Amino acid sequence: MGAQPRDLRVAVREGSRVPIYVQLTEQIRLLIRRGVLRPGEVMPPVRQLAGELGVNANTVAGVYRDLQRDGLLILRRGVGTMVGAGPAGRPIPAEDFGRIEGKVDELVQLGRATGLSRAEVRQILEMRWRD
Amino acid sequence: MGAQPRDLRVAVREGSRVPIYVQLTEQIRLLIRRGVLRPGEVMPPVRQLAGELGVNANTVAGVYRDLQRDGLLILRRGVGTMVGAGPAGRPIPAEDFGRIEGKVDELVQLGRATGLSRAEVRQILEMRWRD
Amino acid sequence: MGAQPRDLRVAVREGSRVPIYVQLTEQIRLLIRRGVLRPGEVMPPVRQLAGELGVNANTVAGVYRDLQRDGLLILRRGVGTMVGAGPAGRPIPAEDFGRIEGKVDELVQLGRATGLSRAEVRQILEMRWRD
Amino acid sequence: MGAQPRDLRVAVREGSRVPIYVQLTEQIRLLIRRGVLRPGEVMPPVRQLAGELGVNANTVAGVYRDLQRDGLLILRRGVGTMVGAGPAGRPIPAEDFGRIEGKVDELVQLGRATGLSRAEVRQILEMRWRD
DNA sequence: GTGGTCTAGACCACG
DNA sequence: GTGGTCTAGACCACT
């Protein structure tokens, strides 16, 4: 029997400059890479997720399509969408992910303590990543 | 004699999907917050900076306008533009800024070591900042 | 069916020294604060309003953008513009607004009776508001 | 012997959209109309007032010129500037002025109590004055 | 079809 | 010579 799709805990930031489809794509991508969503797991139907988020169904459909292109999702007509079983769907080791999140948390804490905005810290990250 | 505007060392990334005015706004904001540009310092005229960057003067004018709204710049018709003398224009202590950059560098190094993309690390930052 | 955008009844004063975008911004802001335009209500598309007013679309876009910054409007790419649902978009109680208008009318009448110009009364208001 | 020019108690609002020369013109005009500055009274020299306000001397000179055009000021080469003795320089009856200020104060108080901004009340005044 | 960005260029107001 | 405003029109991104 098919497993029930889980509550994804994704959300769109109202009024953000970042397009909705980018927000959703990145969030779902991360859920898969982190192993919260595991290979073979069933995704919620497009219309259901769209309804929960209050966004257009076309937008969600586009997100699924993009993630399918990257091998993170698999679309089966008449069945539904599930997390890809290939290499792209395989999660990053939990240990690695935990270290990253720990480091990010340190950065967030430090940024807030020194009065920097999220946008400013993001900007520093972008610049330092390039170098 | 009035102080000459300094070479800003800002640049637009060719082909970036990030709007030019956002790039410039963030870069100049960081220069001020980092204390490279200090309160009262003269900014290059709109048309001059536009010419140096190879962008339209309206684009730069919009950047200056946005930064003025946040108190980082002061625009005076017929006079010129200078860094704001209020609290917004005051730089973050160099020591604090250095610690932020150090932490970001650690994050970049760790992210690369574990095979995460820049977009993924950015996304983790966005999500963790909310909490 | 989605609600149709209403006729805004805004207008630009020909030959005024006040910039068009300021005129429009203030008029729309007042319509929202007065509750003529209510939270969630659909605004006319940028190009449509521009056409009706005989001004450039960029000008109207700038007006919408400024009002968005103050939380009075919500702009969604590909969707449209609507009155903000947050605290900024909520109207001032009609009773309060009526009392303000009544008091202003008294002031106008008194100002005219004593031979003051509009500019002079405006100036007195500016100075007294500071105290 | 000539009376000493008095401290004018005028000020420019930093960052205001209203041009400096307009601010100064309106403020001085009001001081004369209110009778604070009386016909024949000596005005401070252009350079002195400019220095006190931190604005360009040309700007103040222009203000004096405009007020002279309206008969509110009289410029005497080699002597200085003084308040006009003609009808334009004569003050509005103090009683009238006091009633206006009282009404304005009521409006300011009411506006603040109902959460309107200065710009919004000004806007209502402009609209009601036209009708 | 919506808003977003950018350009090119004009004209104005200000100091 | 500075910033401010506006136009006309193009192209893009998003839903």
Side-chain angles (χ1 to χ4, degrees):
Chain A
M1 28 84 262
Q4 282 307 308
R6 192 188 322 192
D7 178 7
L8 249 49
R9 295 192 172 254
V10 292
V12 296
R13 275 169 299 170
E14 285 286 338
S16 169
R17 165 180 311 286
V18 180
I20 293 175
Y21 87 91
V22 172
Q23 293 183 37
L24 294 181
T25 302
E26 294 307 319
Q27 287 182 45
I28 295 175
R29 181 194 306 276
L30 216 51
L31 287 175
I32 295 173
R33 296 270 285 170
R34 194 201 291 175
V36 175
L37 296 173
R38 307 198 72 86
E41 183 165 352
V42 175
M43 297 288 290
V46 168
R47 286 176 187 76
Q48 176 184 320
L49 182 54
E52 289 168 7
L53 296 171
V55 303
N56 193 296
N58 289 333
T59 304
V60 175
V63 170
Y64 278 14
R65 208 182 318 116
D66 286 357
L67 289 168
Q68 177 194 29
R69 188 174 43 73
D70 295 349
L72 292 168
L73 291 183
I74 296 176
L75 278 63
R76 291 259 173 75
R77 317 232 304 213
V79 178
T81 303
M82 58 198 62
V83 178
R90 233 168 285 146
I92 288 176
E95 185 192 331
D96 285 354
F97 216 100
R99 285 200 296 162
I100 292 273
E101 286 186 325
K103 188 63 75 182
V104 167
D105 287 346
E106 291 172 29
L107 178 59
V108 169
Q109 190 180 354
L110 189 57
R112 284 192 161 129
T114 52
L116 288 182
S117 71
R118 183 171 64 180
E120 286 171 329
V121 173
R122 187 203 306 128
Q123 174 70 5
I124 295 173
L125 174 62
E126 302 287 349
M127 289 172 53
R128 288 281 164 170
W129 192 282
R130 259 198 309 277
D131 299 340
Chain B
M1 29 82 266
Q4 286 304 309
R6 190 189 319 194
D7 179 8
L8 249 48
R9 295 188 172 262
V10 290
V12 298
R13 295 187 298 274
E14 297 275 345
S16 169
R17 285 172 299 95
V18 179
I20 294 174
Y21 83 92
V22 173
Q23 295 181 38
L24 295 180
T25 301
E26 294 309 317
Q27 288 180 45
I28 295 174
R29 163 174 283 126
L30 226 46
L31 286 175
I32 295 173
R33 296 273 284 169
R34 198 197 294 174
V36 176
L37 295 172
R38 305 195 76 85
E41 184 164 350
V42 176
M43 296 288 291
V46 169
R47 288 165 179 77
Q48 177 185 319
L49 181 54
E52 289 169 7
L53 295 172
V55 303
N56 189 279
N58 286 333
T59 304
V60 175
V63 169
Y64 278 15
R65 182 176 181 248
D66 284 357
L67 289 168
Q68 178 190 34
R69 180 171 55 72
D70 294 348
L72 293 169
L73 292 183
I74 296 174
L75 279 62
R76 295 230 185 100
R77 276 175 300 197
V79 179
T81 301
M82 58 208 65
V83 177
R90 231 168 284 146
I92 288 176
E95 185 191 332
D96 286 353
F97 214 98
R99 286 200 294 162
I100 291 274
E101 288 184 323
K103 188 63 75 183
V104 167
D105 288 345
E106 291 173 30
L107 177 59
V108 169
Q109 190 179 353
L110 188 57
R112 283 181 161 141
T114 52
L116 288 183
S117 72
R118 181 171 63 176
E120 285 170 329
V121 173
R122 187 203 303 129
Q123 178 64 17
I124 295 172
L125 174 63
E126 302 287 349
M127 289 173 53
R128 287 282 163 170
W129 192 280
R130 228 175 333 202
D131 302 341
Chain C
M1 22 83 259
Q4 285 305 310
R6 189 188 323 191
D7 179 7
L8 249 49
R9 296 188 172 260
V10 292
V12 298
R13 294 187 297 275
E14 296 276 344
S16 169
R17 286 173 298 93
V18 179
I20 294 173
Y21 82 92
V22 173
Q23 295 181 37
L24 295 180
T25 301
E26 295 310 317
Q27 288 180 45
I28 295 174
R29 162 175 285 124
L30 226 46
L31 287 175
I32 294 173
R33 297 272 284 169
R34 198 197 294 173
V36 176
L37 296 173
R38 305 196 75 86
E41 183 163 352
V42 175
M43 295 288 290
V46 169
R47 287 164 180 77
Q48 177 185 319
L49 181 54
E52 288 169 6
L53 295 171
V55 304
N56 190 279
N58 286 334
T59 303
V60 174
V63 169
Y64 277 14
R65 181 176 180 248
D66 285 357
L67 289 168
Q68 178 189 35
R69 179 171 56 72
D70 295 346
L72 293 170
L73 292 184
I74 296 174
L75 279 63
R76 295 230 184 102
R77 276 176 298 198
V79 179
T81 301
M82 60 208 66
V83 178
R90 232 168 283 146
I92 289 176
E95 185 191 332
D96 287 353
F97 214 99
R99 285 200 294 163
I100 291 274
E101 288 184 323
K103 188 63 75 182
V104 167
D105 288 345
E106 290 172 31
L107 177 59
V108 169
Q109 190 179 353
L110 187 57
R112 284 182 160 140
T114 52
L116 288 184
S117 71
R118 182 173 61 176
E120 285 171 329
V121 174
R122 186 204 303 130
Q123 178 64 18
I124 295 172
L125 174 63
E126 301 287 349
M127 290 173 55
R128 287 282 163 170
W129 192 280
R130 229 175 332 201
D131 304 339
Chain D
M1 40 65 290
Q4 284 305 309
R6 191 190 321 192
D7 178 7
L8 250 47
R9 295 194 172 253
V10 291
V12 296
R13 275 169 298 169
E14 286 285 340
S16 168
R17 165 180 311 285
V18 180
I20 293 174
Y21 88 92
V22 173
Q23 294 183 38
L24 295 181
T25 301
E26 294 307 317
Q27 287 181 48
I28 295 174
R29 181 193 306 274
L30 216 51
L31 288 174
I32 295 173
R33 295 270 285 170
R34 196 200 291 176
V36 176
L37 295 173
R38 304 197 74 86
E41 183 165 352
V42 176
M43 296 288 291
V46 168
R47 286 176 187 75
Q48 176 185 319
L49 182 54
E52 289 169 6
L53 296 172
V55 304
N56 193 295
N58 289 333
T59 304
V60 175
V63 169
Y64 279 14
R65 210 181 317 116
D66 286 357
L67 289 168
Q68 178 194 26
R69 187 174 44 74
D70 295 349
L72 292 167
L73 292 183
I74 296 176
L75 278 63
R76 290 259 173 76
R77 316 232 305 213
V79 179
T81 302
M82 58 198 61
V83 178
R90 232 168 286 145
I92 288 177
E95 185 191 333
D96 286 354
F97 216 100
R99 284 199 296 162
I100 293 274
E101 287 185 324
K103 188 63 75 182
V104 167
D105 287 346
E106 290 173 29
L107 178 59
V108 169
Q109 189 180 353
L110 190 57
R112 283 191 161 130
T114 51
L116 287 183
S117 71
R118 182 171 63 181
E120 286 171 329
V121 173
R122 188 202 305 129
Q123 175 69 8
I124 295 172
L125 174 62
E126 301 288 350
M127 288 171 53
R128 288 282 164 171
W129 193 281
R130 257 197 310 278
D131 299 341

